[in-house]
Amino acid sequence: MTWSRTTALVVVDVQNDFADPAGGLAVAGGAEVVPVINAAVAEAVSAGAPVRYTQDWHPTSGPHFAKDGGTWPVHCVQGTWGAELHPDLDVRGEVVRKGEHGEDGYSGFTMRDPVTGDTRATALAGSLRDAGATELVVVGLATDYCVRATALDGLEQGWPVTVLWDAVRAVDLQPGDGARARAELTASGVVIR
Ligand code: VGL
Ligand code: ZN
């Protein structure tokens, strides 16, 4: 990866519930991405590039969770240990929380109101634009959900996007979801490296 001052690094949802084996929605190998991401953070910082982080940030109840009719075990509830960024993650830039007001959704760029279904922008795109980002590098958890959605939205917002494959892991709710996400990202024009 060649970094410049305008190659922005977007670190998706490297939170205890995904990255810690004891987390509420532990991703296989999730902790392994932390040192790989820290190396990318160091490269970005030394190039003078912006680094941004997202946090999945759910209310205690809502249609995201299986107990309320959705898909997922409870995870990343606002203000809990599981929602905190992994303690070993090197944090060198702004953190964007998805769902400060009870919204959910997967992309770091948007939040979806669970009642009305309306989506609205998070602070991420504006923050990247303000920092002069001309391309994005996306890493984190999980490949088949929030990394996928963030990378595709980044493209849609007009940035060339690269995903560093060593720095992502999949939930694989269905076996093969991670591999399918990779194929879909590639087909959409995201560079995998
Ligand atoms: C995610 C499932 C549910 C993710 C978030 O960060 O990829 N996956 N909520
Ligand atoms: Zn979630």
Side-chain angles (χ1 to χ4, degrees):
M1 188 70 220
T2 311
W3 294 88
S4 78
R5 258 179 355 98
T6 62
T7 310
L9 179 61
V10 179
V11 181
V12 174
D13 298 2
V14 181
Q15 293 164 270
N16 290 325
D17 270 337
F18 299 121
D20 191 293
L25 183 44
V27 173
E32 294 167 10
V33 302
V34 175
V36 181
I37 291 172
N38 285 344
V41 169
E43 287 178 5
V45 167
S46 65
V51 185
R52 299 290 181 266
Y53 301 78
T54 64
Q55 271 176 311
D56 211 33
W57 198 251
H58 298 300
T60 50
S61 297
H64 195 66
F65 293 150
K67 71 178 177 70
D68 302 312
T71 303
W72 304 105
V74 172
H75 64 275
C76 298
V77 172
Q78 301 168 2
T80 63
W81 168 84
E84 289 171 17
L85 295 174
H86 189 283
D88 297 336
L89 182 67
D90 197 3
V91 181
R92 302 295 197 100
E94 191 180 317
V95 180
V96 173
R97 291 174 170 169
K98 302 176 283 178
E100 286 279 16
H101 310 289
E103 308 91 334
D104 60 28
Y106 298 117
S107 168
F109 288 102
T110 56
M111 298 176 287
R112 198 181 58 87
D113 186 301
V115 178
T116 65
D118 292 346
T119 52
R120 61 191 190 96
T122 66
L124 184 60
S127 171
L128 291 169
R129 280 204 190 89
D130 290 348
T134 58
E135 67 174 310
L136 309 184
V137 176
V138 179
V139 297
L141 303 170
T143 313
D144 35 356
Y145 287 90
C146 293
V147 168
R148 171 189 170 280
T150 302
L152 292 175
D153 270 0
L155 267 191
E156 199 163 288
Q157 305 255 349
W159 284 292
V161 177
T162 298
V163 170
L164 302 181
W165 202 251
D166 284 353
V168 298
R169 291 291 184 281
V171 169
D172 281 337
L173 194 60
Q174 304 295 331
D177 282 350
R180 277 187 290 276
R182 178 180 180 135
E184 188 186 357
L185 288 167
T186 301
S188 302
V190 172
V191 174
I192 307 281
R193 58 178 295 154

